[in-house]
Amino acid sequence: MLQKAYERFQYNARSFYKFKKLARTYADLDGSEKIRQKDVAAALSARDLDKDQKGMVVV
């Protein structure tokens, strides 16, 4: 799933590894030894949420 997103959206290598690290974090929080598709999906959707919030100012 991450490879397909990498190719489709033309992420750079740095972004690829950030997604991988974030997916690992989601897996760890859930107690999983392996990164699952749902962990990768959560990492990719977190990126989408981040893009939507760019103009938002947090005080």
Side-chain angles (χ1 to χ4, degrees):
M1 179 185 283
L2 186 55
Q3 183 66 33
K4 287 181 183 181
Y6 176 75
E7 292 168 359
R8 181 174 180 193
F9 298 109
Q10 300 176 352
Y11 293 129
N12 58 25
R14 185 177 179 187
S15 294
F16 180 84
Y17 286 105
K18 283 184 177 185
F19 283 128
K20 190 175 175 182
K21 283 175 55 176
L22 186 55
R24 174 74 260 163
T25 300
Y26 279 114
D28 287 342
L29 289 172
D30 206 25
S32 175
E33 291 184 22
K34 295 183 179 183
I35 298 173
R36 301 159 299 186
Q37 275 192 342
K38 74 177 199 174
D39 302 320
V40 174
L44 291 170
S45 67
R47 166 73 175 194
D48 291 338
L49 291 173
D50 184 42
K51 279 184 166 181
D52 292 342
Q53 302 291 330
K54 257 192 179 171
M56 185 176 180
V57 177
V58 178
V59 181

